[in-house]
Amino acid sequence: MLSLAAGTVLDLAPDAVVACAAEAGYPLCGVRLGRPRAEAAGVAAALRATGVGLLDVEVVRLLPGPLSDAHRELAGTAATLGARFLLTVSQNPDEAETIDRVAELAALLAGSRTRIALEPMAFTALRTRADAERVARCVPGTTVLLDPLHLYRAGTPLDVAADPALTGYAQLTDVGSSAPPSDLAHEARHDRMPPGEGVLALAGFVAALPPDVPLSVEVQSDRLAAELDPLARARHVRAAAQRCTTGVAGS
């Protein structure tokens, strides 16, 4: 099942992301909330009006030190909205402290349907899939979000079977060159390509995922944003994702 990732249409307000997902034919979407309390009502209304499901809310960024009020507010809003996952990344090099903070987040979400999804990225403290899975195993119910771009840049083969107990969902995206850029974060935030239009071996990646794992189509691309309006962009990357998953996984 495909989901429209917030990153694909960052030029839209969160409630407009939901409407865009519905019009572009996605059953699910994700939202990035900069002002959770102020934006929650609009998102909730859009979800009710469209019937689109909320896959994830972005993004908790864990730094050294305690959880902030902003972290708590975002977690509470994700739970209230009924998101399946709260996307979480760690910039804290102390793994034991990261585990403690993830456990605190999990406690805040207890009783809701929302689970933490840790995303490993080569430019964060949890660089690899193994790093994120190690932390997730320490906090029951925590999952890992697998992004093929980040796995590839961290040197993780894309066709290694994912652990069904730990894999919450995955992203679909692509990259134009096998050569690593000088700035991995810039590539991830500005230079992605629609799935199947770059160099990543996405058929093997999708085949290695557990059955029925949702696929969030995340294509943060300055080029696409300049060429296509949000709805056209959402439709374009959805068609690309369907071509990639035909005969491999459900879309």
Side-chain angles (χ1 to χ4, degrees):
M1 186 175 290
L2 296 180
S3 177
L4 176 62
T8 300
V9 287
L10 277 179
D11 40 344
L12 292 181
D15 58 340
V17 173
V18 181
C20 181
E23 191 167 354
Y26 292 83
L28 301 169
C29 74
V31 295
R32 185 174 298 183
L33 302 180
R35 299 175 297 117
R37 289 197 183 96
E39 294 165 335
V43 172
L47 293 170
R48 289 193 299 270
T50 62
V52 170
L54 185 58
L55 180 65
D56 62 351
V57 165
E58 302 183 22
V59 54
V60 169
R61 302 184 189 277
L62 297 175
L63 301 171
L67 291 182
S68 67
D69 290 342
H71 293 148
R72 297 176 185 278
E73 181 182 344
L74 189 60
T77 302
T80 298
L81 289 172
R84 295 192 196 181
F85 300 100
L86 176 63
L87 196 159
T88 302
V89 300
S90 177
Q91 297 283 7
N92 187 346
D94 186 327
E95 187 167 301
E97 190 172 293
T98 294
I99 292 168
D100 288 344
R101 298 296 84 78
V102 171
E104 290 175 20
L105 275 177
L108 291 173
L109 297 171
S112 74
R113 72 173 300 189
T114 307
R115 301 170 70 189
I116 296 164
L118 296 172
E119 184 173 17
M121 296 184 279
F123 49 88
T124 66
L126 299 179
R127 295 189 65 258
T128 68
R129 170 176 155 181
D131 292 337
E133 290 180 343
R134 188 169 57 249
V135 171
R137 288 189 182 97
C138 294
V139 184
T142 299
T143 70
V144 174
L145 165 59
L146 299 178
D147 181 317
L149 184 154
H150 296 312
L151 298 181
Y152 184 70
R153 292 306 187 204
T156 303
L158 298 187
D159 58 356
V160 175
D163 186 339
L166 294 178
T167 306
Y169 63 117
Q171 290 176 333
L172 277 183
T173 191
D174 217 325
V175 63
S177 173
S178 58
S182 59
D183 187 338
L184 292 175
H186 185 276
E187 176 187 55
R189 295 166 181 161
H190 300 277
D191 294 332
R192 292 173 181 251
M193 297 185 69
E197 297 183 13
V199 302
L200 298 183
L202 294 177
F205 172 71
V206 173
L209 294 171
D212 302 323
V213 166
L215 299 172
S216 177
V217 189
E218 182 178 58
V219 184
Q220 291 181 239
S221 166
D222 290 354
R223 178 184 62 82
L224 275 188
E227 293 175 353
L228 300 173
D229 65 45
L231 179 58
R233 202 182 316 146
R235 285 173 169 161
H236 178 79
V237 301
R238 179 175 180 267
Q242 287 182 311
R243 288 192 293 271
C244 278
T245 57
T246 299
V248 181
S251 61

